Amino acid sequence: QVQLVESGGGLVQPGGSLRLSCTAPGFTFRMWSLRWYRQAPGKEREMVANITPTGSNANYAASVKGRFTISRDDAKNTVHLQMNSLKPEDTAVYLCNVPAHNYWGQGTQVTVSS
């Protein structure tokens, strides 16, 4: 089983930005769609963003559209989530996912608070 590794979370004030990263030791991202999900306490896991294998298409949850950007760097086997204009309701554990294989990471905590 492949374990994805997320990084980049932390505490940020409302209106701030964070950039999350996800890598996959022992697995190559190149051929696969990649996703970011988030899960807040007491809430269901929510898909935040998806990017196709070529990176030509991406789609977003309505709640983050226009503020978050998913991107991939296949040369570095990494997927990123750039999060701008953060709000307290963005507070959650953020997880990356390879849907075709159901691979997940442990997640990285993002807390938006003043």
Side-chain angles (χ1 to χ4, degrees), residues 25-83:
F27 180 79
T28 301
F29 278 161
R30 187 180 305 276
M31 293 178 60
W32 310 104
S33 291
L34 305 171
R35 293 178 179 171
W36 283 96
Y37 283 78
R38 66 185 180 186
Q39 187 155 24
K43 294 188 177 181
E44 290 189 0
R45 189 169 290 185
E46 172 190 25
M47 192 188 79
V48 174
N50 177 86
I51 189 166
T52 55
T54 62
S56 59
N57 287 296
N59 55 284
Y60 300 90
S63 56
V64 307
K65 197 169 186 179
R67 300 188 297 121
F68 290 11
T69 302
I70 188 171
S71 63
R72 62 192 297 157
D73 183 344
D74 287 340
K76 296 183 178 179
N77 209 44
T78 302
V79 58
H80 298 287
L81 185 68
Q82 178 67 42
M83 305 187 296

Side-chain angles (χ1 to χ4, degrees), residues 14-32:
S17 298
L18 283 174
R19 188 188 192 214
L20 306 184
S21 300
C22 173
T23 61
F27 180 79
T28 301
F29 278 161
R30 187 180 305 276
M31 293 178 60
W32 310 104

